[in-house]
Amino acid sequence: MDNGNTFAAHLAWCGLVALHLARLDGQVCSPGQENLFLTRWLATAEKQRRFRRELANDIRWLLKEGREKGMRADLPGKLHYLWRAGNDLKAQNDLFRLQHALHAVKLTGWDYRVLSESEWSGRRALKISPAVAGIYLKKSALENGFSLEGVQISPLPVRINGNLSALDTLLERAGWYRVSVPDEPQLHYLRAVVSPGGN
């Protein structure tokens, strides 16, 4: 783990603890109040330079998200993601790490859906808009692709539309990678990276 991850995890931990204490004190009782509290907390942290310079861009981005998107920014979710990403994510099982990566993808604004058989193929298949970044998983493959211990037992087919290099970065951080299918540009397979000692 690099120091950047450690510093971001510390920022996220401080924000989540501050939010929890505000909830206990009765200052925060709704998602709207959570967003407002965290936006103010981040603005104060930036003004008072409470965190290392390396985090200035992260703080600015979180502030922009909170101010522009309001409750849709899901600042608690973003802080939770930063905290988890800064801890030993790769020690978790494959399914947990995949869920973590997909949550991160959703936080970036991508459409994320789990599709039934009829939505995946056939006449009622979901039409993927080229204008919308998204990742779409087949429900049956997700249900049957993992052991009871959360270890991947078969490749996971997904349909993807969006910036593949950005997605690859998020997947890599969570110990996953993408394999494209040459004849079908939107179809890919997700695979967990096998650790040196096996999964």
Side-chain angles (χ1 to χ4, degrees):
M1 183 190 328
D2 60 34
N3 283 339
N5 280 347
T6 306
F7 300 150
H10 176 69
L11 164 70
W13 182 82
C14 290
L16 290 169
V17 168
L19 178 61
H20 180 69
L21 292 174
R23 285 179 184 139
L24 290 177
D25 290 343
Q27 298 173 16
V28 173
C29 303
S30 70
Q33 290 175 340
E34 287 179 352
N35 182 73
L36 182 61
F37 175 84
L38 286 173
T39 301
R40 288 178 177 165
W41 183 85
L42 288 161
T44 302
E46 180 182 47
K47 185 177 179 182
Q48 296 178 351
R49 297 182 179 155
R50 290 182 184 169
F51 297 95
R52 301 177 70 95
R53 273 182 298 180
E54 293 92 340
L55 295 174
N57 287 336
D58 294 305
I59 292 171
R60 265 188 241 112
W61 177 74
L62 288 165
L63 265 172
K64 184 179 177 193
E65 289 283 293
R67 288 172 174 158
E68 291 181 1
K69 295 182 180 175
M71 286 189 302
R72 290 182 302 111
D74 187 19
L75 289 179
K78 285 180 170 68
L79 289 178
H80 190 70
Y81 171 76
L82 286 173
W83 181 78
R84 299 267 314 245
N87 288 290
D88 196 6
L89 181 61
K90 292 191 179 176
Q92 303 295 329
N93 69 39
D94 298 337
L95 181 57
F96 180 92
R97 294 190 332 271
L98 177 64
Q99 290 171 331
H100 181 78
L102 294 173
H103 182 65
V105 168
K106 191 175 176 184
L107 288 175
T108 65
W110 280 42
D111 187 25
Y112 160 54
R113 296 188 202 178
V114 177
L115 306 178
S116 66
E117 288 294 326
S118 63
E119 292 171 315
W120 181 263
S121 61
R123 290 181 309 161
R124 296 184 187 170
L126 177 73
K127 302 279 188 273
I128 298 173
S129 170
V132 177
I135 184 165
Y136 308 94
L137 284 72
K138 189 175 182 182
K139 184 177 181 182
S140 60
L142 190 59
E143 290 172 345
N144 300 315
F146 296 88
S147 70
L148 292 176
E149 293 77 30
V151 175
Q152 186 181 27
I153 55 177
S154 61
L156 185 61
V158 294
R159 292 210 169 95
I160 301 170
N161 185 61
N163 184 334
L164 294 176
S165 62
L167 175 64
D168 289 343
T169 299
L170 291 173
L171 290 171
E172 184 182 336
R173 287 181 185 160
W176 280 79
Y177 65 98
R178 173 187 57 82
V179 178
S180 57
V181 176
D183 298 338
E184 294 187 56
Q186 290 184 328
L187 182 62
H188 305 263
Y189 285 90
L190 298 183
R191 292 182 172 268
V193 174
V194 179
S195 62
N199 267 342

